[in-house]
């Protein structure tokens, strides 16, 4: 039924937990120091947990949420790379990565993600993010040339056959960005054979990466990139 609170501390010993299945979940705190390793099985929560906090210089195995995740996952005080998959979560997740490389697989809700330091990989599948400001995923600290967006098909900016188009002109707001993106997508759809198309737009405080998931010239998905404009992103940032 309930998994209320779990607090694990290790100063060198490895910890291995099997799968955890629970209806309701509270807080999970991990302090793992030295060369400690924490191994976790699948986490199957019927309802979202509250907080998952990890700190230390130890390492944590790949974290896989079978259903719901935690409302907040905070690895900002963890120094080793992490891999976290909450792709089946219906509710949004606030995720803060470690100071090293993080691989994050987004879920179905409105996820707000900060990779923190390191060359992070953000994995977002088709229809895992919305098309409006109210339900689109947000990446708060994307760094072009370092971080990567793993969206299922690499970006290609070839002027005649590519699947990526980037505006150099600032729009006024989201509605203008959507209109400009759909116009750009409809145009490259006439020349590109790619099964997925991308259009990047930006206003005074955020970037909008629109994704045409079925190559019909109309955007179905949106990724919001905080404080990003055309000089801060490249087709090379989008990988398969």
């Amino acid at each position: 039924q309930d998994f209320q609170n779990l607090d694990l501390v290790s100063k060198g010993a490895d910890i291995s937990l099997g799968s955890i299945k629970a209806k309701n979940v509270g807080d999970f705190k991990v302090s793992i120091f030295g060369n400690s390793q924490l191994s976790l099985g699948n986490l199957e929560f019927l309802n979202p947990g509250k907080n998952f906090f990890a700190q230390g210089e130890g390492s944590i195995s790949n974290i896989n949420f079978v259903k719901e995740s935690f409302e907040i996952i905070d690895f900002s005080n963890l120094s080793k790379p992490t891999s976290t998959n909450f792709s089946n979560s219906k509710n949004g997740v606030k995720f803060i990565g470690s100071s090293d490389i993080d691989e994050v697989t987004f879920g179905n809700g409105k996820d707000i993600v900060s990779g923190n330091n390191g060359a992070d990989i953000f994995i977002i599948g088709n229809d895992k993010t919305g098309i409006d400001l109210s339900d689109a995923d947000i990446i708060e600290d994307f760094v072009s040339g370092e971080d990567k967006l793993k969206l299922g098909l690499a970006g290609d900016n070839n002027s005649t056959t590519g699947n990526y188009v980037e505006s150099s002109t600032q729009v006024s707001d989201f509605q203008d960005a959507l209109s400009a993106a759909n116009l750009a997508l409809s145009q490259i759809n006439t020349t590109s054979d790619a099964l997925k198309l991308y259009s990047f737009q930006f206003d005074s405080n955020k970037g909008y990466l629109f994704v045409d998931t079925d190559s019909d010239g109309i955007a179905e998905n949106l990724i919001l990139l905080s404080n990003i404009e055309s000089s801060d992103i490249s087709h090379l940032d989008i990988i398969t």
Side-chain angles (χ1 to χ4, degrees), residues 20-162:
I20 300 175
K21 182 176 181 180
K23 181 178 180 180
N24 299 306
V25 180
D27 294 333
F28 188 11
K29 182 178 180 181
V30 175
S31 300
I32 187 160
F33 301 106
N35 293 318
S36 305
Q37 294 182 347
L38 170 63
S39 299
L40 291 171
N42 287 334
L43 303 176
E44 184 175 346
F45 304 151
L46 298 184
N47 295 301
K50 294 298 182 182
N51 300 286
F52 183 5
F53 172 80
Q55 65 176 349
E57 65 273 13
S59 61
I60 301 177
S61 68
N62 294 352
I63 301 167
N64 182 51
F65 295 95
V66 176
K67 294 183 179 178
E68 294 299 332
S69 176
F70 289 89
E71 294 176 1
I72 298 174
I73 300 175
D74 186 349
F75 296 158
S76 57
N77 291 311
L78 196 65
S79 61
K80 292 288 180 64
T82 69
S83 175
T84 307
N85 183 339
F86 45 87
S87 60
N88 294 318
S89 174
K90 295 180 180 178
N91 291 268
V93 177
K94 170 71 173 178
F95 179 94
I96 306 170
S98 73
S99 58
D100 207 311
I101 297 170
D102 298 292
E103 183 176 278
V104 188
T105 304
F106 289 52
N108 298 293
K110 181 182 177 67
D111 301 316
I112 302 174
V113 173
S114 171
N116 203 355
N117 295 322
D120 303 308
I121 301 174
F122 305 104
I123 304 172
I124 306 176
N126 287 352
D127 302 323
K128 294 294 185 179
T129 180
I131 190 59
D132 295 312
L133 294 178
S134 61
D135 57 7
D137 292 334
I138 301 174
I139 300 175
E140 297 187 316
D141 60 349
F142 185 80
V143 179
S144 179
E146 181 175 337
D147 298 330
K148 297 297 180 184
L149 294 163
K150 192 171 185 178
L151 304 181
L153 185 65
D156 178 359
N157 71 338
N158 186 288
S159 60
T160 57
T161 61

Side-chain angles (χ1 to χ4, degrees), residues 176-227:
D176 283 350
L178 178 60
S179 297
N182 281 332
L183 177 60
L185 290 169
S186 65
Q187 291 173 343
I188 63 172
N189 189 45
T190 63
T191 59
S192 177
D193 292 329
L195 299 178
K196 184 176 288 190
L197 308 174
Y198 308 106
S199 173
F200 177 79
Q201 309 288 329
F202 67 99
D203 61 20
S204 59
N205 57 27
K206 67 173 69 67
Y208 305 90
L209 181 62
F210 292 93
V211 184
D212 175 1
T213 60
D214 56 5
S215 188
D216 64 352
I218 299 174
E220 286 84 28
N221 290 169
L222 167 65
I223 302 166
L224 298 172
L225 303 169
S226 299
N227 302 311

